[in-house]
Each structure stands twice: as C-alpha cells, then as structure tokens.
C-alpha cells in the first residue's frame, strides 16, 4: 500500500462544503502508510484538520511514534487513524486518557495525561467533555490490536477516540475488533489498517464534541502472495457491523459524506491479483 488518499470532494449537505486544501505532514510517521504520507486532504468549509504523529516517551526518554491520526480540531474527533497490525497480545488495559498538548499551543511534542496551559481543550476533547455524556470514548486504533505496552498506552488519547454509543461499542464493535484480529493473523506479514469516523450533525451535551454517526475500518495485507483487503462499517440499520469490499465501503462513504470520490487504498493493480510488482507500488482497493 503506497499511500492513503482521502479526498472529500463535497457537494451539497447541511454542514459540508468545499474549503481550502490542508497539507498533511506525516513525515515523522509515514511508515504507517508504507513509504509515503497521504496526499493533501480537502476538509469541509470551516473545518480544520491537524495531522498527528502519535508519540509517547519510551523507557529511554525518546519519542516513539506508534500510529498516525488526522484530527479535526473543529469536530474535536479524529477523521481517521492509520496503524500497522502485527499481532495481538494479551496486554492489560490502562485507562489513563491522554491529550495532545501541541494542539492547544503547548510545545510538548508527545501526548500526556493532562495539559498545563490555559488553552487546553480549545482545539480538542478532554476528559470532562465525556463526563455524564452518555457516550463511550470509542477507540479508532483499539487496545486489542496492539502488541506492546507502549502502543496500548498510546491508543488511549482523546485524539484517537470519538463519542460512541455504549451498547454498540461494548458489543457489536468489540466483536468486530476480535474478528479482525483473527482475519489479520492469517496475513503473510504485517497488515495496514485505517479506521475512521463519519461525524453526525449533533454533539454531545456540552455542544463541543461531535458525535460519531458511523465507524468504519479498512484493512490490507498479503495473503498467499496476493494483496487482500476488507471493509467494515457500523452500526447498520440493525445495529451490527457490516463487512464489505473496499470498493463498496468507499462507495458507501461517498454516500454518507455526499462526496464525489473517496479512495482509501489506491490500487495498481486491483486486489486478489498475484503480487508481481514491488510492494511500494501495489496497494489494496
């Protein structure tokens, strides 16, 4: 998978309209897109987005990058998180939720449990936003898909979460995350995953953080020397997670966003063809 294209070419919808293109600088974490960062993202009018190379301090006090997120400082939820799945290990969960200080003008480069500046929370969600909201903090990069302690910690940043219906999060979406593990563990090597959120038109009670309407996920990996991808979204009309092809997921997302085109994994050639060319120019679709 050479890169991720997320083009929102928006037509008429109540809160979406075209705006200027925002440059995405994922130069410090491009490995989560395999060799190159995504191209520019065109956000809706009035909506600001910020590329984040999600990092945490390792045991040697060095920055360790663990995944990438495109975050909306307007909606205060992520547009998507991209990560590499290698294996799932039984890692205990620690629910210390982090924030990203640099989003609110702090010079601290990595996530931390709280901010010390007066502007913390201006451009991102904070823990108090979720208190008594009736929503779970729904991970895009989930704890279940991590393989080490630091990755586990790094998933619990509020820039990797959106308000999610508790019943859906704890049941259908959890079972989906478990099923994805089983599927990706049969890959020849590491798998590439992009998980995103379709925003709703409503916010949680504080009127600050936009609620998720749908969660979606796309996966891509080599299986028996062929690239294979799957798409998922939910909740559907029955409150379940629906599995579909990457192409069908892209079409569905185009309908959700009322957009002309969205490409998650540009493909040359298409899926389920023998991998006869270099991996850096061969992607899922």
């Amino acid at each position: 998978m050479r890169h991720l294209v997320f083009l929102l070419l928006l037509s008429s919808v109540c809160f979406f309209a075209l705006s200027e293109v925002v440059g995405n600088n994922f130069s410090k974490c491009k490995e989560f897109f395999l060799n190159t960062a995504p191209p520019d993202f065109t956000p809706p009018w009035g909506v600001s987005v910020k590329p984040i190379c999600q990092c945490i301090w390792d045991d040697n006090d060095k920055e360790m990058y663990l995944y990438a997120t495109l975050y909306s400082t307007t909606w205060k939820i992520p547009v998507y998180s991209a990560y590499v799945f290698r294996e799932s290990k039984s890692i205990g969960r620690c629910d210390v939720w982090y924030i990203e200080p640099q989003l609110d003008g702090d010079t601290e480069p990595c996530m931390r449990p709280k901010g010390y500046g007066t502007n913390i929370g201006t451009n991102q969600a904070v823990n108090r936003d979720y208190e008594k909201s009736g929503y779970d903090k729904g991970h895009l990069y989930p704890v279940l898909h991590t393989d080490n302690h630091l990755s586990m910690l790094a998933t619990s940043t509020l820039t990797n979460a959106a308000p999610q219906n508790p019943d859906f999060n704890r049941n259908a979406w959890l079972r989906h995350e478990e099923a994805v593990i089983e599927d990706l563990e049969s890959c020849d090597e590491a798998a590439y995953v992009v998980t995103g959120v379709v925003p709703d038109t409503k916010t949680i009670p504080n009127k600050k953080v936009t609620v998720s309407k749908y969660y979606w996920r796309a996966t891509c990996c080599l299986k028996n020397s062929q690239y294979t991808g799957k798409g998922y979204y939910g909740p559907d009309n029955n409150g379940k997670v629906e599995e579909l092809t990457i192409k069908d997921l892209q079409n569905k997302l185009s309908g959700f966003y009322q957009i002309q085109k969205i490409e998650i994994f540009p493909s040359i050639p298409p899926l389920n063809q023998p991998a006869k060319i270099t991996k850096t120019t061969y992607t899922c679709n």
Side-chain angles (χ1 to χ4, degrees), residues 5 22 49 52 76 142 273:
V5 177
V22 178
V49 293
I52 301 173
K76 296 180 174 59
Q273 299 290 327

Side-chain angles (χ1 to χ4, degrees), residues 129-147:
D129 294 324
Y130 282 85
E131 293 175 358
K132 299 180 181 180
S133 69
Y135 292 94
D136 281 356
K137 305 180 186 83
H139 291 74
L140 276 68
Y141 180 14
V143 172
L144 283 177
H145 291 186
T146 63
D147 63 355

